[in-house]
Amino acid sequence: MGKYAPVLKAAECGSMTRAAQSMGYTQPSLGYIINNIENELGVKIFYRDKRGVTPTEAGIGLLEIMRQIEAMENHLQEAARVSKQELLRVGILSSVASQWMPEILENFYQFYPEVVVKLENEPYYFTGEQGVKEHKLDCCFFAGRCPTGLESLPLYEDRYYLVVGEESDLAHLRAVSIWDVVGKYQFIPTNESTDAGSAIREIFDRFAQSSRLDFQPQENQMAIGLVEKGMGITVLPGLTLLDLIPNRAVKVIPLKEDLARTVSLLCPKEAERSHLTNVFLRLTRQQVAQWKVAQREKSPWLQ
């Protein structure tokens, strides 16, 4: 199954709940994926009500095209499986790609210089999860709850931080409680603060305030730019902030609450993993352990 499988399953079942159950997702997770596809296409595919989902007029035509795309992708994947040689497919998060992957790959190629490593950037946690489930990825960096049938190997507890402009009345604080800012300041959500049912988004949604700007989830760079101009605040994990905050007029403030995401490697169960995957997992754990030690000196604000 490919990118449009969740949409096709919802149309087949006529219900988000039944479609989610059949695919092994929660109903909010499936709804999130379908909403992102609708936003990407700029077209509403389904009418939603208490009875379930019904394709819109535009959605009927799009669903047929999606079925054709799925059939072609399945054929392509089968052809690739027949012809592939030594290949390791890894799903990555952008923050992981910059902080960890160069050294991991350098070490990996010392052992296996002939192996092709295919890195696939996963903008949402659920796409990486789907890739491992469907054997399109050998493993992926992940920050959600471990799905049934897979194994999640914890690497790093990535704490969330409040980010405010340097001129903000919060900028002088050494630490802040999330409850001191929720409902009082404009929250600028990002994909990383809202993905995977993030507690951050749930907290701010409960106390949403009216504003002349209706913020949808922003790319991290855009969110930092808006914060820098005093248009709001945001909350992001430390691993992401390492590449974002240098030379920006923002202040990073630790949260008093223990809010963090666990960055893990998501992979099949040990009996189902390839030798190359196990080597990659071992080298990744070693590299992250070394990175943690070095980072304590380079970024003392990173708890």
Side-chain angles (χ1 to χ4, degrees):
M1 293 186 292
K3 175 179 179 178
Y4 299 115
V7 179
L8 296 174
K9 180 58 70 173
E12 176 187 333
C13 295
S15 163
M16 288 284 196
T17 301
R18 289 196 296 272
Q21 290 172 346
S22 69
M23 297 188 75
Y25 294 127
T26 63
Q27 191 275 333
S29 299
L30 185 67
Y32 187 79
I33 293 171
I34 292 175
N35 284 339
N36 275 308
I37 291 174
E38 288 181 325
N39 290 336
E40 178 182 321
L41 296 174
V43 176
K44 189 175 183 66
I45 299 172
F46 294 114
Y47 295 117
R48 296 167 172 82
D49 57 33
K50 293 181 179 179
R51 293 174 295 179
V53 295
T54 306
T56 63
E57 183 174 351
I60 293 173
L62 292 176
L63 286 167
E64 181 55 34
I65 297 173
M66 289 177 185
R67 292 187 185 96
Q68 296 174 23
I69 292 173
E70 286 290 307
M72 293 175 67
E73 184 171 338
N74 289 338
H75 180 68
L76 177 64
Q77 292 294 332
E78 182 60 30
R81 277 194 291 270
V82 171
S83 62
K84 73 178 181 182
Q85 298 178 350
E86 288 279 74
L87 175 66
L88 182 67
R89 302 156 302 176
V90 182
I92 58 173
L93 305 171
S94 58
S95 51
V96 169
S98 62
Q99 294 297 324
W100 299 342
M101 285 308 301
E103 288 77 12
I104 292 171
L105 291 177
E106 181 182 28
N107 293 333
F108 183 85
Y109 281 126
Q110 289 180 4
F111 293 94
Y112 297 97
E114 303 301 321
V115 171
V116 175
V117 180
K118 183 179 181 183
L119 302 180
E120 299 192 16
N121 190 49
E122 304 298 339
Y124 305 106
Y125 303 150
F126 297 116
T127 56
E129 172 188 333
Q130 189 175 353
V132 176
K133 280 184 174 180
E134 296 171 1
H135 306 290
K136 295 177 182 178
L137 296 174
D138 295 296
C139 61
C140 75
F141 290 90
F142 188 72
R145 293 182 180 179
C146 182
T148 303
L150 299 178
E151 187 172 350
S152 181
L153 307 177
L155 297 171
Y156 180 62
E157 283 297 305
D158 195 13
R159 294 179 63 87
Y160 284 94
Y161 294 82
L162 181 71
V163 187
V164 304
E166 286 186 346
E167 302 301 319
S168 169
D169 58 355
L170 300 169
H172 69 284
L173 298 176
R174 292 191 174 184
V176 65
S177 168
I178 197 74
W179 302 108
D180 292 337
V181 298
V182 69
K184 301 174 185 176
Y185 297 85
Q186 174 68 59
F187 175 57
I188 303 172
T190 74
N191 291 330
E192 288 197 74
S193 66
T194 61
D195 206 358
S198 167
I200 297 293
R201 179 61 183 267
E202 292 176 8
I203 290 171
F204 277 94
D205 278 353
R206 284 174 57 192
F207 296 90
Q209 65 177 39
S210 60
S211 170
R212 55 199 175 104
L213 289 174
D214 179 17
F215 285 114
Q216 298 301 309
Q218 302 290 315
E219 292 300 322
N220 294 329
Q221 289 280 9
M222 172 62 95
I224 292 295
L226 292 168
V227 169
E228 193 174 31
K229 295 300 182 182
M231 302 187 73
I233 61 173
T234 193
V235 179
L236 281 168
L239 196 60
T240 298
L241 287 170
L242 286 172
D243 286 332
L244 286 176
I245 61 172
N247 303 316
R248 303 303 295 263
V250 297
K251 175 75 180 297
V252 176
I253 306 174
L255 293 173
K256 293 180 180 179
E257 291 78 13
D258 187 22
L259 293 173
R261 62 176 185 174
T262 301
V263 179
S264 307
L265 267 174
L266 186 68
C267 53
K269 297 285 188 179
E270 185 173 4
E272 303 172 9
R273 294 199 293 263
S274 68
H275 173 67
L276 286 178
T277 302
N278 283 327
V279 171
F280 183 83
L281 300 182
R282 175 173 58 81
L283 293 176
T284 297
R285 282 176 150 175
Q286 291 175 356
Q287 173 55 37
V288 173
Q290 294 171 9
W291 176 89
K292 288 178 186 177
V293 174
Q295 204 62 44
R296 291 192 191 104
E297 297 181 2
K298 292 172 59 178
S299 303
W301 59 268
L302 193 64
Q303 298 179 8

